Amino acid sequence: MNRTAPLITLLGVSLGALTLTGCGAGGPTAAGLASPPSSAPGLPTPQMPSTWSPAPATTAGAPAPATAPAASDSPAPASPTGKPLAGRTIVLDPGHNPGNVAHTTEINRQVDIGNGRKECDTTGTATDAGYTEADYSLDVSHRIRDLLKALGATVLLTQDGDHPWGPCITDRAAFGNAAHADAAISVHGDGGPASGSGFHVIMPAKVVAGKADTTAITAPSHRLGLLVRDSFHTVTGEPYADYIGDQGLDTRDDLGGLNLSGIPKVFIECGNMRNAGDAQRMTDPQWRQRAAQGIADAFTAFLTTTG
Ligand code: ZN
């Protein structure tokens, strides 16, 4: 299913001297955008770029192409009792980076997402009070990580406040591929119209173009998306977004983090940080814990059930 250009996420948010750009790197889909030629069909070969190494990297210096970032994190031994996720690997992708605002040149660099070109990364949005999406997404990711590790999972973050900027959306996808993770989620807060509220989950459209081929992940990502939508809604009570998507779900073909993923992956826009009510909730640590619980529950269901 292809949707046309999303209506949100291009709103710039002025925050003092900063300008924060909306998350999801929305805007027109690849139609009409230059699509670089590629002679390499199929999924991209995971490569760690020289400007960025995976968080759990064990070596410094030269990049190690195709080295799974999970290598340093030895798999948990099978422990059926109380550890339903033992042996499973989950990648959490905290959207944006608190340092992006100081590295606009780097993050504005155009990268190849298969069916077009997009900025390497964006700054993300923020509440009126100045709570940034980057801080929100990292905090919630930490909470998800703690919950999933308690269930035995190996949990890897694409960035953990340990990169000066980014990583680029292409590298965020490559990270999960290189880890051969069972599933991934990119955690965001939206920068929609202030009158709109609610959360939504973004699933990958089928994209076969250049470096992108989501054929193998669309179905499992859809299943993951439904589980995240239902669980997040149940645990947080947050309504489905009333300004985008359909019943809390959207499908997009213009997000590099999805286009280039070789593992089941979705995005969640946990709420609209430009909306006063959502902003209030997202600023509350107790609500963020529920948000994390809802997402962690969805991964548990995804990895322990079928169909
Ligand atoms: Zn975002």
Side-chain angles (χ1 to χ4, degrees), residues 63-84:
T67 297
S72 66
D73 199 347
S74 52
S79 177
T81 305
K83 300 289 186 183

Side-chain angles (χ1 to χ4, degrees), residues 8-29:
I8 57 151
T9 69
L10 281 181
L11 300 177
V13 179
S14 294
L15 184 67
L18 313 174
T19 297
L20 300 182
T21 53
C23 79
T29 58

Side-chain angles (χ1 to χ4, degrees), residues 101-295:
V101 293
H103 293 272
T104 53
T105 300
E106 291 90 341
I107 67 169
N108 285 335
R109 180 168 62 86
Q110 297 284 300
V111 296
D112 179 2
I113 66 166
N115 59 359
R117 297 183 71 81
K118 295 287 286 283
E119 296 86 356
C120 155
D121 203 6
T122 54
T123 54
T125 188
T127 69
D128 277 349
Y131 183 48
T132 68
E133 180 188 357
D135 285 335
Y136 171 85
S137 60
L138 190 57
D139 178 89
V140 171
S141 294
H142 286 158
R143 295 171 187 273
I144 300 169
R145 178 178 62 186
D146 291 346
L147 291 166
L148 292 174
K149 288 183 75 168
L151 297 175
T154 296
V155 183
L156 305 172
L157 270 61
T158 58
Q159 59 93 5
D160 193 7
D162 48 357
H163 300 278
W165 52 271
C168 291
I169 54 177
T170 47
D171 298 329
R172 291 171 183 267
F175 184 98
N177 299 346
H180 303 291
D182 293 290
I185 189 166
S186 192
V187 179
H188 293 255
D190 206 2
S195 59
S197 63
F199 81 100
H200 68 288
V201 174
I202 305 172
M203 302 173 295
K206 181 176 178 178
V207 176
V208 181
K211 295 164 55 179
D213 185 350
T214 62
T215 304
I217 69 158
T218 50
S221 296
H222 186 76
R223 188 170 81 87
L224 176 62
L226 291 177
L227 290 167
V228 172
R229 189 274 309 264
D230 292 348
S231 179
F232 190 87
H233 183 59
T234 298
V235 178
T236 66
E238 182 76 2
Y240 302 147
D242 58 12
Y243 62 96
I244 191 171
D246 180 14
Q247 296 293 300
L249 298 172
D250 198 5
T251 302
R252 287 175 60 171
D253 66 359
D254 65 323
L255 297 177
L258 296 180
N259 284 7
L260 301 177
S261 182
I263 59 171
K265 184 176 181 181
V266 298
F267 277 44
I268 183 167
E269 301 281 2
C270 296
N272 178 13
M273 300 188 85
R274 305 303 306 143
N275 174 274
D278 280 1
Q280 184 175 34
R281 286 186 283 277
M282 297 171 81
T283 305
D284 176 1
Q286 292 184 335
W287 188 92
R288 292 200 298 274
Q289 187 63 30
R290 292 195 292 276
Q293 186 71 58
I295 294 169

